Amino acid sequence: MSFVDYFKYVDNQYYGEELSLSEIAAKVGTPCYVYSRATIERQWRVFDSAFDSYPHRVCYSVKANSNLAVLDVLTRLGSGFDIVSAGELHRVMRAGGDAGKIVFSGVGKSDTELCHALKAGVGCLNIESESELHRIQAVAQELRVKAPISIRVNPDVDANTHPYIATGLRDSKFGLGARDAERVFVLAAAMPNIEIKGIACHIGSQLTETRPFIDSLEKLIDFIGQLARVGIGLSHIDIGGGLGIIYHNESPPTPDQYANALINVLKRRKCNLPIIIQPGRAIVGNAGVLLTRVEYLKMSSDRNFAVVDAGMNDLLRPALYQGFHEILPVRLSGSSTRHAYDIVGPVCESADYLGKGRVLDIGEGDLLVVRSVGAYGFSMSSEYNSRLRLAEVMIDRDKYYVIRKRQTVDQSMENESLLPR
Ligand code: LLP
């Protein structure tokens, strides 16, 4: 089965589930992120059921979208979570998530973060260096617990994606090469407060073919054989996240194709270890849009600009990765005065754009939606240019909930102070 989303035109008006986005804009103001609960639920279920024939756990990657209501929706489905900070841990716990279903990834976990994670009882710490292993042993000893760990290996596979989101090549800061990983596993096996659970990898994000996933799984299974020869047994394989979505004209594998490709490898190699998968984008990417209003149209003989009220601080992906997001008018006018526009924000940076050369029939004051921003949209936003964090809304059929209020001026300054007089 493929993913679908529940955003579409009904009578020339753009809708999320059963609500018109003009109505949301009128009630909540712009800019704001709007998510569809049904889309998130469907994507998670489609993903999870694709792996039905093999023991598995889906651990949603919280960094993609960490709003409490999003985590709440996923918790109710029984999801596990992939986290990378104590902040994400606290969010999952606040949303009622099960600590035992959490995997904690990341190259720089601090003592405090490790302590919080071990006290909460997270299911697995994915270790990325030898120093981290020693650190975890020390923290676990202090707390008198056994730390469940995996070691993240770097399979040296080219994910064929944007260089900023490729993580599986040999020169990446993530994971350990096979030789180092074996040494660290042997060290871990001898440590009193460490319990080896598994092996982990994550080769990159927005992958649009199955080949790199297959290649890295093959390498992981080779490596598991190597570990068995030195007497180290594992109880799971964490294959990371990374399945791509359709932003424009990509044709990523469907969750079924992705799952089948992986399960075929596992079965052919007679591996029966349960797997953990950490999808982020594939679950929430297409489940969110950014609703923004055209402030000014600036026409010239060289270029036309539509200056909108959302900027790169609200949605960084175009500026940082040249990410493409479809941009559509909320109301289709039916007139034929179309022009090509660069859709730009109010931030004082030339990189502040949401889309380039988009052919649209729009006027000042019109609403636009920027599609497929449910993942790495709000979660990567900032207050650059002292712009207030925008509101987030969740549509649930014919109702909507403000799941994050727009930040106020006072809130934006509440942790700062003037110097003493
Ligand atoms: N697991 C690990 C260890 C990760 O580092 C990541 C993403 C994921 C899972 C989830 O990957 P996904 O299924 O979402 O591809 N900001 C970038 C993406 C950065 C991804 C970082 N790691 C973007 O907007 O494209």
Side-chain angles (χ1 to χ4, degrees):
M1 249 203 287
S2 300
F3 292 140
V4 293
D5 68 62
Y6 296 100
F7 290 99
K8 62 170 187 303
Y9 284 105
V10 179
D11 296 335
N12 296 330
Q13 279 280 345
Y14 205 66
Y15 271 64
E17 300 190 20
E18 295 163 36
L19 278 182
S20 118
L21 293 197
S22 314
E23 189 182 331
I24 306 257
K27 300 236 168 84
V28 180
T30 59
C32 68
Y33 277 96
V34 183
Y35 310 120
S36 147
R37 177 176 183 172
T39 309
I40 300 174
E41 289 181 339
R42 184 174 192 283
Q43 301 330 36
W44 192 90
R45 289 200 175 105
V46 165
F47 199 96
D48 185 55
S49 58
F51 285 92
D52 261 354
S53 67
Y54 193 87
H56 69 280
R57 169 166 295 149
V58 175
C59 289
Y60 164 73
S61 192
V62 174
K63 64 176 86 66
N65 187 324
S66 50
N67 185 288
L68 285 179
V70 171
L71 303 181
D72 181 18
V73 166
L74 295 169
T75 297
R76 293 183 203 208
L77 295 173
S79 187
F81 296 95
D82 159 49
I83 61 164
V84 288
S85 68
E88 290 186 350
L89 171 66
H90 296 312
R91 284 178 172 272
V92 172
M93 300 318 290
R94 180 76 60 90
D98 176 350
K101 292 189 195 166
I102 293 178
V103 290
F104 192 169
S105 314
V107 292
K109 308 175 193 78
S110 69
D111 278 359
T112 320
E113 289 182 312
L114 291 169
C115 194
H116 280 300
L118 288 172
K119 281 188 178 155
V122 301
C124 197
L125 298 165
N126 288 358
I127 292 186
E128 306 228 12
S129 63
E130 180 179 338
S131 302
E132 187 185 344
L133 171 67
H134 291 291
R135 181 88 75 97
I136 293 176
Q137 162 57 31
V139 176
Q141 189 167 19
E142 179 108 3
L143 295 174
R144 296 202 177 84
V145 295
K146 265 204 159 195
I149 64 112
S150 280
I151 290 173
R152 174 165 172 184
V153 296
N154 190 331
D156 194 22
V157 164
D158 188 353
N160 228 342
T161 185
H162 190 282
Y164 287 6
I165 50 179
T167 47
L169 282 170
R170 196 179 316 169
D171 58 1
S172 145
K173 74 171 176 175
F174 299 100
L176 287 163
R179 196 166 313 146
D180 290 330
E182 180 174 338
R183 191 172 42 77
V184 177
F185 263 113
V186 171
L187 276 175
M191 289 184 171
N193 296 81
I194 297 289
E195 183 189 358
I196 295 177
K197 287 279 191 192
I199 186 166
C201 83
H202 170 78
I203 53 173
S205 198
Q206 184 55 14
L207 272 64
T208 51
E209 48 197 18
T210 47
R211 179 48 53 194
F213 291 116
I214 293 175
D215 291 348
S216 72
L217 182 56
E218 296 270 14
K219 288 192 174 182
L220 285 191
I221 297 173
D222 291 342
F223 187 64
I224 292 170
Q226 213 172 303
L227 289 177
R229 285 192 285 280
V230 295
I232 294 173
L234 304 179
S235 42
H236 73 240
I237 310 182
D238 179 340
I239 54 177
L243 178 62
I245 61 167
I246 300 175
Y247 284 106
H248 189 206
N249 47 19
E250 305 86 345
S251 43
T254 64
D256 278 344
Q257 289 166 337
Y258 166 75
N260 288 339
L262 295 172
I263 293 168
N264 285 343
V265 175
L266 291 159
K267 293 198 168 153
R268 178 168 45 76
R269 301 286 305 264
K270 302 200 169 26
C271 176
N272 48 19
L273 290 177
I275 54 168
I276 290 176
I277 323 107
Q278 312 176 333
R281 190 188 319 261
I283 306 295
V284 292
N286 290 131
V289 299
L290 173 60
L291 189 52
T292 181
R293 193 178 289 280
V294 178
E295 294 279 7
Y296 301 101
L297 292 181
K298 193 172 161 182
M299 318 294 276
S300 76
S301 51
D302 298 323
R303 241 174 153 77
N304 302 321
F305 294 98
V307 185
V308 298
D309 61 4
M312 66 187 283
N313 68 299
D314 305 306
L315 177 66
L316 187 58
R317 299 197 74 263
L320 190 59
Y321 317 110
Q322 298 75 51
F324 181 96
H325 292 269
E326 201 179 349
I327 300 179
L328 303 170
V330 166
R331 196 174 60 85
L332 290 174
S333 76
S335 86
S336 54
T337 38
R338 291 154 75 85
H339 298 283
Y341 294 96
D342 284 359
I343 314 292
V344 301
V347 174
C348 296
E349 295 278 345
S350 301
D352 180 28
Y353 76 96
L354 301 180
K356 290 199 171 153
R358 305 303 174 86
V359 179
L360 292 165
D361 173 13
I362 45 174
E364 293 184 353
D366 283 1
L367 293 167
L368 301 177
V369 284
V370 185
R371 276 182 52 87
S372 307
V373 296
Y376 308 109
F378 189 95
S379 65
M380 292 182 77
S381 69
S382 76
E383 290 166 40
Y384 184 43
N385 278 200
S386 291
R387 288 168 51 77
L388 301 175
R389 296 257 187 193
L390 34 68
E392 292 176 284
V393 173
M394 175 89 76
I395 297 181
D396 187 1
R397 303 173 77 105
D398 60 350
K399 296 201 169 48
Y400 75 90
Y401 302 93
V402 176
I403 57 172
R404 176 192 291 266
K405 293 185 198 148
R406 192 177 303 284
Q407 189 182 35
T408 63
V409 170
D410 284 341
Q411 284 168 347
S412 79
M413 291 186 269
E414 72 190 355
N415 289 338
E416 298 175 45
S417 51
L418 301 172
L419 293 176
R421 299 282 134 180

